Each structure stands twice: as C-alpha cells, then as structure tokens.
Amino acid sequence: MVTCKYVRIPVVLFLISVWSCQGPVKHYVSEKREVSTKAMVVSAHPLASAAGMEILRRGGNAIDAAIAVHFALAVVYPRAGNLGGGGFLIYRTAQGDKYALDFRETAPQKAHRNMYLDSAGNVIPGLSREGGLAVGVPGSVAGMYEAHKRFGKMKWSALLKPAYKLAKHGFAITPQEAERLNSYREDFIRFNGKDIPFVKDSAWKGGDILRQPQLAHTLKILMTKGPQPFYHGPIAEHIAQTVQRHGGIIEPTDLQHYRALWRQPIECVYRDSLRIISMPPPSSGGICLCQMLGMTEVTEFDPEDRQKILTIHFLIEVMRRSFADRARYLGDMDFVDVPIDKLLNKRYLVRKISDFDPRRATPSDSIQHGKFALPESFETTHFSIVDDDGNAVAVTTTLNSNYGSKVFVKAYGFFLNNEMDDFSAKPGVPNQFGLVGSEANSIQPGKRMLSSMTPTIVERNDSLFMVVGTPGGSTIITSVYQVILNTVDFRMPFDSAVWTGRFHHQWKPDIVMHEPHTFTPDQISSLQRLGHRFLERKYIGLVDAIIVLRNGTLIGVADIRGEDDAEGW
Ligand code: GLY
C-alpha cells in the first residue's frame, strides 16, 4: 500500500504540486534550471530526467541515458512519450563526430495517395487524425535499439528497467497530466472502452497513482528479448489487429519491414563561429532552421534590437520565406529529390530575403484565414543530454497529437500514433498544424511523412555549445530558431532565452501566432499597420535545452511552460 502526503513546493518561477510518497512511488519536483560541471539531462518529466541521470551515474553514456529517458517518458508522459510512435536523434560524440538517426514512422504498404479523400476528391475530416487509418508504422523501439547497437555502453535491459519499474509500481501524476487525462477521457472511451489504465470512474487529480501493468509486461518482454517481438512477433500481430479493428490497414509485414535509418545530419555555419547540426528529411527541421539562420545573417543585431518593430517584422518575414520552401520542396528523400544544396545555398538565401520590405508585410498568397482552429500543440516531446565525457544527444519523439490516434493496444499497454496526418492528404489542404504540402509530401507505401521535429546540437568554434529541441508541430522550428537568436544575437541569459515569449509564422495561414505576453499592444498595432495579422496561442513549444559555457559548465534549462525538468550531476 502506498501512502502519500500532499505538499506544495515553489520551484524557480513555477509552483508544482507534488506528492511525497512512501513505498516504490517516488517524490519529485520539477527543477527549471540546473548548473553542473559533469553531466545534464533535461526532459519533459522529472521522473524521466531522473531515469536518465540514474543511468549516467551508473556509468552509462549519453545514448544509454537517452534510451532510459525515452522509455521512461513512454510511461510517465503518455501524451507523447511512446512505444507506438517515432522520432529523430542527433548525436555528437565528445570527439566531434556527428550522427542523425531517423526512426520516423512509415506509411503502411496498403497506403495510397488518395486514402483520405472521398469520391469527390475532398479530404474526409478526421480520417488521418483519429482511429486506425491515422496510424503510421511505429519506429521508436527500432530506433532506440539501433542507437544502442551502435553506441550503447550499458546492457539494453538495464536501460529499460527504470521505465519498467515506473509502469509496474506506478507513479504520482502531475496536476497537468491529471487535467489532460480528464480532458481526453471521452476520446479514450470512444476508441477503447473503459478498461484502459487512463480511464477511471472519478476524475484524475494531481498526485493520483497511475499504474500500467500491461505496459510493464511489454517493457519486460523488450528488456529480455529486444525489439524482435515488437516487429516480428506477438506485439506486431497485436498492433496490426488493433489497427485493423479500428479501420486501419497496417499488416504484420509492415512491422517486419520497418527499419530505423542513419542519415547525414544537416549542417550549416551561423555567424562564422557556430555550426548547426540538425535533422535532415524526412524532417524539415534542419533545412528550415538553417534557411532561417542563413537569411538572418544578412543583418546584424544588438541586444536592444530584439523588441524593435523592424526586427520582429524581419524575423516574421524570414520564417514565412522558409516555410514557403518547406511546403514546395520537402518530403522523404528516399522517395523524392530534395534539393538540399540549393535550399541551403547562401546566395539563394540572401536572394530570398532580398525582397524584404521594411514598410510592409509580404502577403503569403490568398489565405483562408480563420477557417480552421489550430490546437495547442505539445504532442511531441524533446530531451537533451550531455554525459560526463562530453557526448551530447538531442532526441525529439512523437505520437503526433496528444495520445496519438487515441487507439490503445490494450494487451501491451500503449497508444498508437496518428502520424499519417503529417503527410499532405491533398495538395494545398492544411493538416492539423495548418501546414500545407505538395507532391513531395504525398502519401506512398513505405514513405516517411514530413516532420518539423528539430533536435539540434550547436558547436561554437568546433566545441559543444548547445543541445536544444522542443515539441510543438510546425512551431518547433521557429522555437529552436528563437532560442538560438535570443542566446547568440540578443545575448540573453540562457534561461530567459528559453522562457521568454515566442512567436511563429509558417507562410500559410498568413498569421503571426504568438504567446500572450510576447508583444505589447503597441507592438501589435505597429505590426498590424505593416500588414501582419495575429493569433494568440496559450503556449508555443516546450524547449528543453543545455548550454555549455566557455569554462565547461553545463546549464540545463527546462521550459517553464510544462512539467519539464533539468537534472544536473
Ligand atoms: N508530428 C509532428 C512533426 O513530426 O512535426
């Protein structure tokens, strides 16, 4: 029997309610800023950060810790942490070697370009976002195993153990998780009935214990047998059966054919001394981030420029131009030619921003402003790790929407993604993030859907400088961009660079999205006079990042917008 005591603890600009518990359920708080000379883990949940730190203290390296954090998030952060999703990993060794691992989901073999259209050729609302047809073939388990095979130091089973214990013994949920579980209750029941761990008779509240015995069973299987049962055995069979029962088309052979792939990272130099290392297609993140920084280089900023109308206007125009290229050119490079060199060519980028008009906004073609609602998008999750040898890893992983397709593999205890919505269901028709795409991102069997996830490592003068990333759909790219600008150009302290208000423009819709306190009313009026239109959103991104100071000190910063937590050693 677990007994718990309710306490409230103020944590750097942030008040978190926690439960102090006896027995196997751990007491925890969110630390928003940590300083360390040795190692750092920053993730979306204190228990996941603790799992990573436990592995580092026991002699594991950054990749080992990443695997522990990934599986712990699948337990304690079920909205986005996952076995049934996919993601990307950027790894920089202490010696400066760089790697990108793609464990993005794939379209099933039975998928086809018009699968979400009715007989009149119109997109059927919801079909790519909920239920079985929305599910892409999951890549996370293969991805973690691949990372371990190549770079892991500790035993695979030891890395999954913290997650296994959290699933088996349970953990005290945060008030935010309670709120989310309550708000998705009807969806959970609609797709899965009431017998899943996330549904109970009364409302959830912060401090309630969540146990996931089926997920514990699955983690135990993966600990002892590796990914084989997930892709070739009973778990694969169950995934296919569950998806098909919900109207989907995944077959066991889709799982058998799934492979995580090593790719060449996208690299670019910013302001001579910084090198950006980020994710190539099927993510748009690395290319768009480098494009934005490349356009930004045509001007120099002083710290006080940050709040100036001309600066904000310029940055919006930079974002708009890069997202226009995203929509036109980007997709899975194994299926379409992506002209990476041309898109990142400095002369091309200078030309692209050369029509910037300081007196007016550039219209993004005819926009159907206001015809769809954009969700508060934190469905993805990111974590950043530096180990005591100086190896660094940035991982962004996702189910796409919160709790993915809402379809739950009951016997094995995990949600399945709705990543198929990241394809362009029909050219010009927006997905849940309002993003439009073209032929380059059309659906084909086995193809990976275009992503915005931007796990990024930055070097300064060839040494490790920053590890950064965030959830937030299309806003991921512009959030990472702003953290880099805030730190490098506007010389803000790193915590402020992460915590300050953010804004976002993605070409279409032609709207500047912004957090409530990002702009003053006067700034908005001035920008409106230039032709910009605005849409307020509660949050943009949940950045979890680490910076390395010149003396080697690590500063880990967890976003104040969520339950995110930094653990230093
Ligand atoms: N599912 C969000 C993304 O990959 O961008």
Side-chain angles (χ1 to χ4, degrees):
M1 177 75 184
V2 173
T3 55
C4 298
K5 184 174 65 155
Y6 186 73
V7 289
R8 287 172 79 84
I9 299 175
V11 185
V12 201
L13 302 175
F14 186 74
L15 190 69
I16 185 166
S17 304
V18 297
W19 285 77
S20 156
C21 303
Q22 294 161 0
V25 179
K26 281 189 194 147
H27 166 115
Y28 60 87
V29 295
S30 276
E31 294 293 346
K32 294 298 177 189
R33 182 181 184 278
E34 281 273 280
V35 180
S36 166
T37 50
K38 235 169 144 55
M40 187 71 68
V41 180
V42 191
S43 86
H45 197 287
L47 293 173
S49 298
M53 190 48 74
E54 178 188 329
I55 295 299
L56 292 178
R57 285 181 192 276
R58 288 172 50 203
N61 62 21
I63 291 288
D64 292 327
I67 294 164
V69 171
H70 178 90
F71 284 104
L73 285 169
V75 180
V76 300
Y77 198 67
R79 72 195 299 201
N82 67 82
L83 302 188
F88 301 122
L89 175 153
I90 294 289
Y91 179 47
R92 181 188 182 278
T93 66
Q95 294 71 37
D97 300 321
K98 296 137 198 167
Y99 303 88
L101 180 61
D102 166 3
F103 51 100
R104 183 72 161 164
E105 300 90 331
T106 55
Q109 284 305 313
K110 284 192 174 162
H112 56 93
R113 55 178 295 129
N114 295 335
M115 63 188 277
Y116 299 117
L117 305 186
D118 64 18
S119 53
N122 297 316
V123 173
I124 302 167
L127 215 52
S128 63
R129 292 182 200 169
E130 290 185 329
L133 262 192
V135 183
V137 181
S140 288
V141 174
M144 289 302 111
Y145 198 72
E146 181 60 38
H148 182 259
K149 201 167 73 184
R150 188 152 180 196
F151 293 113
K153 196 162 116 190
M154 282 175 62
K155 272 175 63 180
W156 167 257
S157 61
L159 308 179
L160 277 67
K161 201 162 180 186
Y164 165 73
K165 289 200 309 205
L166 286 163
K168 182 171 162 48
H169 299 304
F171 65 99
I173 63 170
T174 59
Q176 295 94 325
E177 187 65 52
E179 204 182 308
R180 282 193 295 271
L181 291 176
N182 292 333
S183 68
Y184 282 92
R185 185 174 195 274
E186 295 314 313
D187 285 339
F188 296 156
I189 295 173
R190 185 156 54 95
F191 284 99
N192 309 292
K194 285 190 169 175
D195 58 335
I196 68 168
F198 307 102
V199 175
K200 64 186 184 77
D201 290 338
S202 56
W204 290 96
K205 52 191 184 327
D208 282 352
I209 306 302
L210 175 62
R211 290 189 184 80
Q212 300 171 73
Q214 292 84 4
L215 182 55
H217 168 65
T218 307
L219 289 166
K220 189 75 173 178
I221 294 172
L222 298 180
M223 279 164 75
T224 51
K225 299 193 172 142
Q228 185 75 6
F230 195 94
Y231 290 98
H232 298 265
I235 306 178
E237 296 282 344
H238 252 85
I239 292 173
Q241 279 164 17
T242 306
V243 166
Q244 288 176 24
R245 210 171 37 250
H246 286 88
I249 52 176
I250 289 182
E251 303 277 350
T253 47
D254 287 311
L255 287 132
Q256 283 164 23
H257 292 144
Y258 185 84
R259 298 283 176 277
L261 301 171
W262 293 99
R263 298 196 184 271
Q264 188 69 31
I266 293 289
E267 296 189 37
C268 60
V269 173
Y270 183 56
R271 302 216 187 274
D272 297 330
S273 63
L274 299 184
R275 176 171 288 274
I276 312 297
I277 305 147
S278 193
M279 197 64 209
S283 182
S284 59
I287 290 178
C288 290
L289 176 62
C290 281
Q291 281 202 316
M292 289 177 199
L293 292 171
M295 284 184 262
T296 309
E297 269 186 333
V298 302
T299 185
E300 299 273 335
F301 296 118
D302 286 322
E304 59 275 16
D305 291 337
R306 185 171 165 268
Q307 291 298 331
K308 290 188 178 153
I309 298 303
L310 184 61
T311 306
I312 300 165
H313 171 46
F314 175 76
L315 299 183
I316 292 167
E317 294 299 326
V318 163
M319 294 173 184
R320 182 202 309 274
R321 281 161 178 73
S322 179
F323 270 96
D325 276 358
R326 181 195 194 277
R328 168 73 180 79
Y329 294 110
L330 299 193
D332 182 349
M333 285 186 300
D334 295 341
F335 287 75
V336 291
D337 284 333
V338 178
I340 296 181
D341 291 344
K342 288 190 184 133
L343 291 169
L344 296 184
N345 181 287
K346 291 263 173 175
R347 281 203 306 275
Y348 169 73
L349 295 173
V350 170
R351 211 170 54 237
K352 210 169 166 52
I353 194 68
S354 62
D355 61 353
F356 168 71
D357 184 340
R359 289 155 308 167
R360 68 179 65 89
T362 319
S364 298
D365 274 334
S366 51
I367 283 306
Q368 308 288 308
H369 173 210
K371 282 211 170 156
F372 56 92
L374 290 165
E376 304 296 342
S377 53
F378 305 114
E379 308 78 359
T380 299
T381 186
H382 173 85
F383 51 94
S384 297
I385 299 175
V386 177
D387 70 19
D388 52 340
D389 286 330
N391 303 301
V393 64
V395 179
T396 314
T397 177
T398 188
L399 288 167
N400 199 14
S401 298
N402 272 333
Y403 312 99
S405 60
K406 318 298 183 285
V407 174
F408 191 71
V409 184
K410 281 189 192 173
Y412 292 97
F414 58 90
F415 282 107
L416 292 166
N417 68 83
N418 62 340
E419 221 70 60
M420 291 297 285
D421 189 60
D422 273 346
F423 277 118
S424 173
K426 182 179 174 182
V429 175
N431 73 359
Q432 69 163 339
F433 301 112
L435 289 166
V436 290
S438 66
E439 190 55 38
N441 190 32
S442 63
I443 305 169
Q444 281 178 256
K447 191 174 175 184
R448 284 150 146 93
M449 53 296 281
L450 186 61
S451 170
S452 299
M453 292 189 283
T454 315
T456 298
I457 293 179
V458 184
E459 292 176 345
R460 180 171 56 191
N461 299 323
D462 299 326
S463 297
L464 180 64
F465 175 53
M466 193 188 291
V467 188
V468 58
T470 177
S474 50
T475 67
I476 291 174
I477 307 169
T478 49
S479 296
V480 171
Y481 171 58
Q482 285 167 85
V483 171
I484 294 174
L485 293 191
N486 289 344
T487 311
V488 174
D489 292 274
F490 303 126
R491 285 172 240 150
M492 293 170 81
F494 196 49
D495 46 14
S496 309
V498 170
W499 296 338
T500 192
R502 289 191 272 264
F503 60 95
H504 170 79
H505 197 292
Q506 60 183 47
W507 181 54
K508 293 187 179 185
D510 194 347
I511 299 169
V512 182
M513 296 171 214
H514 64 99
E515 294 180 301
H517 302 296
T518 304
F519 303 128
T520 62
D522 283 351
Q523 284 175 317
I524 293 201
S525 302
S526 301
L527 289 159
Q528 278 169 335
R529 281 197 291 278
L530 296 179
H532 294 293
R533 289 179 292 173
F534 289 84
L535 178 70
E536 190 174 294
R537 292 178 61 178
K538 205 164 149 200
Y539 301 110
I540 295 179
L542 290 171
V543 174
D544 288 333
I546 302 168
I547 198 167
V548 188
L549 303 185
R550 286 185 200 276
N551 67 4
T553 302
L554 303 171
I555 302 195
V557 175
D559 211 312
I560 48 171
R561 295 160 174 86
E563 301 112 297
D564 306 59
D565 168 76
E567 288 247 353
W569 173 25

